[in-house]
Amino acid sequence: REAFSFDAAYADADPKVLVIQYGDSGSCPSEAVRHDVVERPDQVGVTLTRTPMPTDRACTADYQIKLVRIALTAPLGSREVVDGSRTVPVPVTTNTPPFG
């Protein structure tokens, strides 16, 4: 499995749900996408993983938005969201995710 980054994080209307947005290729969509979550009092770490892409396949660069709804054990509140693949904070928006 390989970790990959995500583009955005959204606070859901349900305070115990976090929505993560990532981009995918229409011609070579990610397979078996999974998420691992580590919750701490001040932070929620999310790492997305997938089956590695075949190296012998040509893929187009068309961007398709994919959303992952993640159930949290405690409300998101003001906790920071961190992309585990890059270990960097991702801003959380309260706007409705695209295609929401």
Side-chain angles (χ1 to χ4, degrees):
R1 300 200 53 82
E2 64 182 13
F4 65 101
S5 63
F6 54 89
D7 303 325
Y10 298 91
D12 192 76
D14 179 340
K16 287 188 171 183
V17 173
L18 175 64
V19 179
I20 298 296
Q21 172 187 312
Y22 68 92
D24 215 352
S25 167
S27 65
C28 298
S30 296
E31 295 182 9
V33 174
R34 295 186 187 142
H35 61 272
D36 293 312
V37 179
V38 176
E39 292 187 57
R40 291 192 271 199
D42 62 335
Q43 182 179 96
V44 176
V46 177
T47 304
L48 297 180
T49 60
R50 64 184 168 203
T51 302
M53 296 289 187
T55 56
D56 61 344
R57 186 170 166 192
C59 299
T60 61
D62 59 322
Y63 180 90
Q64 292 188 352
I65 292 175
K66 301 290 184 171
L67 301 174
V68 178
R69 292 177 52 85
I70 298 173
L72 303 173
T73 58
L76 177 61
S78 62
R79 293 190 286 174
E80 177 179 64
V81 174
V82 173
D83 178 343
S85 73
R86 300 177 291 156
T87 62
V88 297
V90 175
V92 177
T93 183
T94 55
N95 296 338
T96 305
F99 314 112

